Amino acid sequence: MGQIKVHTVCRSAFILFFLQESLRKITHTLAVKNEEISNFICSLKQSLDNLETNSNRVQEDLESEFSCLHAVLDEMKESMLTRIKQERASRTYELQSQLSACTKALESSEELLELANQTLCSSQTDGFSQAAKDIKDSVTMAPAFRLSLKTKASDNMSHLMVDFSQERELLQALKFLPVPATPEIQVSECQVCDNTVTVSWTIPEPDSKIDHYILEYRRTNHEGPPRIREDYPWMVVEGIRQMEHTVTGLRFDTRYMTFRVRACNKAVAGDFSEPVTLETHAFNFKLDSGSAHQNLKVEDLSVEWDSCGGKVQDIRKEKNRTNSPMHSPARSALMSPKRAPTARPGRDRFTAESYTVLADTMIDAGQQYWEVRFDKESKAFAVGVALRSLGRFDQLGKSSASWCIHLNNWLQQSLTAKHNNKARTLDCSIPGSIGVYVNYEEGILSFYNAKTKQLMHTFKTKFQQPVIPAFMVWNGSFSVVTGLQVPTVVQSGQRKNSGTSSSNASLT
């Protein structure tokens, strides 16, 4: 009977667990769907706002263009009317002047004609010869015989006639500008490597009027269509003449990058293509300031040696304490390191001569790469990886829990590879920055000249547990560059060396 009850209870518990899991999946599905719908609603609202704004803009542009067109027509009308008025005034003056001269000549000629008729009809013979001679002289000098009877100006104004039939046809043919077709990004042709992204696209049909393209991209941690509320803005690349563009100098500090492109002719830009989200895998981490030695001043991804770091922190603490012997600066300096408070749970701050700081992210799989730029004048500098169990007094490379390249400028300059308190001097020049490559599964840790990608040293081992980027500096400074992909040249070099035996076996 008891076994039946136990079986029943177990069965009920299993059913309850199954129902809870089913409900959790349904809840998760609903939450995801609700987020998608909310995002789409935000997108619709944004589209409505954009529609209102864009409609008002194009309406204002249309009214402005027609106003300009009317202004041009009015100006041309006034100019042509002025031309007609000037032509009419000029010809009127010429014709009126000619009319006046002819009228006066006619009056003079009529007077002479009347005088000649009177002389002929006169019965007096005395003085006839002289009168006839005078009339003859007057006729010879009469204006009527010096006039040109050809009009000086024509009354024909047909040369100022207009025919705007063609222009009317052009005006009637006015229409909205042809908008370039929407490009389509070819995901299969896009490439992401060496912290660059090459984006390729096509146009549905050839368009010789396309002048250039505009490419926009932005970082995101969300896969899928762009959201209205994103943490990063769109970055714009203009004036692209080809249907392909490579964006360089990127830092992949997000999981994805979203791209879209639009075509432009001389007057207008077309619609953006459907956004395409590409994965931008890279190793990102920050420096764990809680693990840093008190003499290291950590700011973001930069570290600077501060000889007074520990003393300053102790003094700041003393401002809020009584000046009892127990809490005096002298006594605090003599206290056992074991009693020092931890910087954060699970990781004590490095102390004594271990001027070390760790990253906040562990490597437990895959291939990762980062670079570090350091001050060559530093008295000592080291970069490598360490296990989480690295002791707070342990210096990099002096235990089995860390591997590193160590620069020593104390007394004489040297560059060595260190692990488990063993060192190998490296026969290479000291670069300005070092690239660090980790292949966790293969147990490979390689160091490169970050500029030339020349291999400096390789550790070959077998990582038994996750490792963490580790750094050390004494009397100097350095800065870390993250968000980098494994360079292609590094991957190629690793493949070539994968079949060779390690020359550094004594250090692994």
Side-chain angles (χ1 to χ4, degrees):
M1 189 69 178
Q3 291 181 348
I4 296 175
K5 288 183 178 180
V6 171
H7 178 73
T8 303
V9 171
C10 291
R11 186 171 181 273
S12 299
F14 176 77
I15 294 174
L16 179 61
F17 175 78
F18 177 76
L19 292 175
Q20 288 176 339
E21 286 298 315
S22 299
L23 186 58
R24 287 192 186 94
K25 290 181 180 179
I26 293 173
T27 302
H28 175 72
T29 302
L30 287 174
V32 172
K33 179 55 67 176
N34 289 346
E35 186 178 3
E36 290 179 355
I37 294 175
S38 297
N39 185 50
F40 185 64
I41 289 174
C42 291
S43 177
L44 288 176
K45 290 181 179 179
Q46 186 66 48
S47 296
L48 286 172
D49 293 340
N50 292 342
L51 177 62
E52 185 70 18
T53 301
N54 293 334
S55 298
N56 292 335
R57 179 176 56 81
V58 296
Q59 184 174 340
E60 291 174 0
D61 290 345
L62 181 66
E63 291 176 352
S64 175
E65 287 295 326
F66 269 99
S67 296
C68 292
L69 187 60
H70 289 153
V72 170
L73 290 174
D74 289 340
E75 184 179 351
M76 291 184 63
K77 177 182 176 182
E78 288 300 321
S79 175
M80 297 177 78
L81 285 175
T82 300
R83 171 76 185 282
I84 292 174
K85 291 177 182 179
Q86 290 176 345
E87 188 79 11
R88 179 178 64 186
S90 175
R91 294 191 183 192
T92 298
Y93 176 79
E94 291 290 338
L95 291 175
Q96 284 182 344
S97 297
Q98 192 173 19
L99 176 61
S100 176
C102 289
T103 300
K104 291 181 179 179
L106 179 61
E107 291 177 353
S108 176
S109 179
E110 287 178 344
E111 290 177 357
L112 286 175
L113 178 62
E114 184 178 357
L115 179 60
N117 288 330
Q118 289 177 357
T119 301
L120 288 173
C121 295
S122 176
S123 57
Q124 296 179 2
T125 58
D126 295 339
F128 180 82
S129 297
Q130 186 61 39
K133 182 180 179 183
D134 293 340
I135 292 173
K136 180 179 179 182
D137 292 340
S138 295
V139 169
T140 303
M141 300 297 297
F145 292 95
R146 297 198 305 270
L147 284 176
S148 172
L149 297 182
K150 183 178 180 181
T151 56
K152 293 183 177 181
S154 171
D155 58 355
N156 186 0
M157 297 287 283
S158 60
H159 68 289
L160 296 178
M161 297 282 292
V162 295
D163 180 9
F164 290 154
S165 58
Q166 292 183 351
E167 287 75 7
R168 277 196 298 272
E169 290 179 0
L170 291 175
L171 289 174
Q172 291 170 352
L174 288 178
K175 57 184 179 181
F176 294 106
L177 288 171
V179 179
T182 303
E184 181 179 352
I185 297 178
Q186 303 298 313
V187 180
S188 60
E189 300 295 327
C190 297
Q191 295 182 355
V192 181
C193 65
D194 293 333
N195 283 85
T196 66
V197 179
T198 300
V199 184
S200 299
W201 58 88
T202 58
I203 291 293
E205 55 185 29
D207 186 352
S208 60
K209 294 184 178 180
I210 291 179
D211 180 68
H212 65 277
Y213 299 90
I214 297 176
L215 177 68
E216 293 189 354
Y217 64 94
R218 72 176 172 192
R219 298 172 290 167
T220 179
N221 284 309
H222 304 286
E223 188 176 15
R227 303 185 175 201
I228 298 300
R229 302 182 185 91
E230 286 282 0
D231 296 331
Y232 302 95
W234 286 105
M235 306 303 291
V236 182
V237 182
E238 297 182 328
I240 302 173
R241 303 294 178 180
Q242 306 296 327
M243 288 190 291
E244 179 180 286
H245 185 74
T246 299
V247 185
T248 61
L250 298 173
R251 180 169 175 257
F252 293 160
D253 54 358
T254 57
R255 293 178 59 194
Y256 306 97
M257 291 188 73
T258 301
F259 295 84
R260 64 184 186 182
V261 65
R262 69 198 306 186
C264 306
N265 55 30
K266 292 289 186 181
V268 67
D271 293 331
F272 276 109
S273 64
E274 284 295 322
V276 168
T277 301
L278 303 177
E279 185 175 5
T280 52
H281 172 75
F283 184 46
N284 285 281
F285 62 84
K286 296 181 180 179
L287 296 178
D288 181 10
S289 59
S291 70
H293 191 284
Q294 287 187 341
N295 285 114
L296 299 184
K297 182 180 178 181
V298 180
E299 292 185 2
D300 194 18
L301 289 172
S302 298
V303 175
E304 185 175 357
W305 166 265
D306 183 2
S307 60
C308 298
K311 297 178 182 179
V312 171
Q313 292 182 25
D314 289 340
I315 292 173
R316 288 176 179 172
K317 291 178 182 178
E318 293 306 314
K319 289 183 179 180
N320 298 322
R321 297 181 181 179
T322 61
N323 290 326
S324 64
M326 185 67 182
H327 295 123
S328 67
R331 183 173 180 85
S332 298
L334 295 173
M335 291 177 62
S336 170
K338 293 182 180 179
R339 299 182 61 184
T342 58
R344 66 187 182 94
R347 175 71 255 177
D348 290 342
R349 184 184 293 276
F350 288 98
T351 189
E353 294 184 357
S354 181
Y355 304 111
T356 305
V357 60
L358 300 179
D360 65 352
T361 304
M362 296 186 296
I363 302 173
D364 57 5
Q367 302 177 56
Q368 314 298 346
Y369 179 84
W370 66 95
E371 294 180 355
V372 56
R373 303 186 181 104
F374 58 94
D375 180 7
K376 288 186 178 182
E377 301 302 320
S378 302
K379 293 298 183 183
F381 169 77
V383 58
V385 298
L387 303 181
R388 185 70 179 173
S389 59
L390 182 68
R392 59 197 298 253
F393 294 97
D394 292 342
Q395 299 180 34
L396 291 186
K398 290 194 175 183
S399 70
S400 62
S402 62
W403 300 255
C404 73
I405 275 187
H406 183 273
L407 168 66
N408 183 20
N409 274 327
W410 184 249
L411 298 181
Q412 62 180 9
Q413 190 178 72
S414 64
L415 186 65
T416 56
K418 290 186 175 183
H419 171 63
N420 202 17
N421 208 23
K422 297 179 181 179
R424 177 188 295 274
T425 301
L426 302 182
D427 185 17
C428 61
S429 60
I430 299 175
S433 58
I434 295 176
V436 185
Y437 167 81
V438 175
N439 186 326
Y440 186 81
E441 285 78 9
E442 298 294 330
I444 294 176
L445 171 63
S446 295
F447 298 89
Y448 290 85
N449 181 319
K451 183 177 181 180
T452 64
K453 298 301 183 290
Q454 179 182 359
L455 179 63
M456 299 170 61
H457 185 76
T458 294
F459 290 103
K460 288 190 177 181
T461 183
K462 185 175 183 180
F463 298 122
Q464 300 294 339
Q465 54 182 294
V467 294
I468 310 172
F471 310 87
M472 184 280 294
V473 67
W474 176 45
N475 280 343
S477 61
F478 68 87
S479 61
V480 183
V481 182
T482 67
L484 302 178
Q485 293 185 306
V486 180
T488 303
V489 64
V490 171
Q491 289 181 330
S492 299
Q494 289 293 327
R495 283 194 292 267
K496 291 179 181 178
N497 297 331
S498 61
T500 62
S501 59
S502 173
S503 61
N504 310 304
S506 60
L507 295 177
T508 58

